């Protein structure tokens, strides 16, 4: 399977704990995105990377969230001191940068986080 | 707030009927994309229309874009039960680099 893969699929954690999610993009894609989605809502942009550089970060992203893409391949998203409001589906997507007006995103199946 | 807003929020039709979903947005865009999401899964890209295009077709999908009204529509013809999913429009603003901003989505149910 050469699609975007995310691990784990589900994570249940207690409030105050730290969690880390991993995303493996499509291998030739240089852009990687993280989104958060709550039930009944559209995906909300968190951050994106071009290669290993984090080029944009949402103002909604608190300092408890950090994302890395150390070698320009896989990425991790860490949430420190989790809160119940962090419960959501965390989606990763990748794409190829393209000249002109953009290229589509390829999404993984997400990591569903439940904070108890 | 989200850039795109879909209308209706929910749509229920019979198999074989056509389904039309609308999307409105607020600022100038480079392109507008439609995605589909089955329950508990990631989103799947359906079609991309650039700001200088007015209409695009892909199989049973037809997308229109009216930049003067800042709106788009997605038409699914001859719907099937397997089309049941949430559909989202997403826009890439002229000034936002690579960020893709999604609307709230339309939940489509196609009854067999």
């Amino acid at each position: 399977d050469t699609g975007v893969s995310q691990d784990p699929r589900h994570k249940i954690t207690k409030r105050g704990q730290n969690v880390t999610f991993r995303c493996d993009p499509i291998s030739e894609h240089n852009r990687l995105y993280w989104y958060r989605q709550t039930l009944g809502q559209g995906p909300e942009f968190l951050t994106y990377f071009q290669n290993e550089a984090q080029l944009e970060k949402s103002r909604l992203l608190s300092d408890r969230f950090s994302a890395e893409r150390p070698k320009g391949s896989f990425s991790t998203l860490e949430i420190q001191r989790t809160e119940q409001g962090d419960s959501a589906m965390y989606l990763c997507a990748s794409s190829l940068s393209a000249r002109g007006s953009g290229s589509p995103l390829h999404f993984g199946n997400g990591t569903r986080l439940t904070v108890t | 707030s989200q850039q795109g807003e879909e209308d209706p929020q929910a749509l229920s039709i019979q198999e074989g009927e056509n389904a039309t979903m609308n999307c409105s947005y607020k600022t100038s865009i480079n392109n507008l994309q439609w995605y589909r999401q089955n329950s508990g899964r990631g989103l799947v890209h359906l079609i991309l229309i650039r700001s200088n295009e007015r209409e695009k077709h892909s199989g049973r999908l037809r997308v229109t874009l009216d930049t003067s009204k800042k709106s788009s529509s997605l038409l699914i013809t001859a719907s099937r039960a397997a089309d049941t999913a949430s559909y989202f429009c997403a826009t890439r603003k002229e000034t936002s680099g690579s960020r893709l901003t999604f609307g709230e989505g339309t939940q489509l149910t196609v009854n067999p």
Side-chain angles (χ1 to χ4, degrees), chain B residues 1 4 9 16 18 20 31 38-39 43-44 53-54 56 61-62 69 71 74 79 81 83 88 91-92:
Chain B
S1 63
Q9 286 189 319
N18 296 342
T20 299
N31 66 64
N38 288 86
S39 182
L43 285 77
V44 175
E53 297 175 313
R54 292 296 167 259
K56 207 158 181 181
L61 305 180
R62 172 179 169 251
K69 294 181 180 177
S71 68
L74 171 68
S79 64
D83 294 329
F88 296 91
T91 52
R92 181 169 273 122

Side-chain angles (χ1 to χ4, degrees), chain A residues 5-75:
Chain A
S5 64
Q6 293 187 245
D7 182 70
R9 286 282 281 134
H10 303 275
K11 178 71 177 178
I12 300 173
T13 191
K14 292 186 177 178
R15 190 175 52 188
Q17 298 294 305
N18 299 344
V19 293
T20 300
F21 310 140
R22 177 181 169 120
C23 171
D24 287 89
I26 293 172
S27 57
E28 60 267 27
H29 285 182
N30 58 349
R31 287 185 176 163
L32 187 147
Y33 302 76
W34 286 100
Y35 282 83
R36 177 173 62 191
Q37 186 180 27
T38 53
L39 199 62
Q41 302 294 311
E44 180 181 43
F45 174 81
L46 294 179
T47 189
Y48 98 92
F49 294 83
Q50 178 147 322
N51 300 314
E52 65 276 9
Q54 188 173 19
L55 295 187
E56 193 174 352
K57 192 173 173 180
S58 169
R59 287 175 296 173
L60 302 173
L61 208 61
S62 79
D63 57 8
R64 296 185 297 106
F65 287 71
S66 63
E68 294 183 343
R69 195 183 182 199
K71 296 181 181 177
S73 56
F74 75 92
S75 175

Side-chain angles (χ1 to χ4, degrees), chain B:
Chain B
S1 63
Q2 297 284 4
Q3 161 78 326
E5 295 181 4
E6 282 92 341
D7 169 55
Q9 286 189 319
L11 180 61
S12 182
I13 59 174
Q14 295 300 121
E15 220 168 15
E17 294 180 340
N18 296 342
T20 299
M21 288 160 269
N22 302 297
C23 169
S24 59
Y25 57 92
K26 298 186 176 102
T27 62
S28 296
I29 59 172
N30 278 329
N31 66 64
L32 186 145
Q33 304 178 31
W34 285 91
Y35 287 79
R36 163 199 168 119
Q37 184 178 35
N38 288 86
S39 182
R41 307 288 294 230
L43 285 77
V44 175
H45 177 259
L46 295 176
I47 195 164
L48 180 153
I49 186 164
R50 293 186 167 81
S51 59
N52 61 353
E53 297 175 313
R54 292 296 167 259
E55 187 171 312
K56 207 158 181 181
H57 297 255
S58 176
R60 293 184 296 113
L61 305 180
R62 172 179 169 251
V63 168
T64 62
L65 179 65
D66 187 334
T67 53
S68 66
K69 294 181 180 177
K70 292 187 168 59
S71 68
S72 173
S73 67
L74 171 68
L75 169 68
I76 304 174
T77 60
S79 64
R80 305 165 182 168
D83 294 329
T84 295
S86 292
Y87 291 82
F88 296 91
C89 70
T91 52
R92 181 169 273 122
K93 293 189 250 188
E94 284 183 343
T95 56
S96 72
S98 287
R99 178 191 294 216
L100 201 59
T101 304
F102 288 83
E104 303 293 327
T106 292
Q107 172 61 51
L108 173 66
T109 303
V110 182
N111 301 299

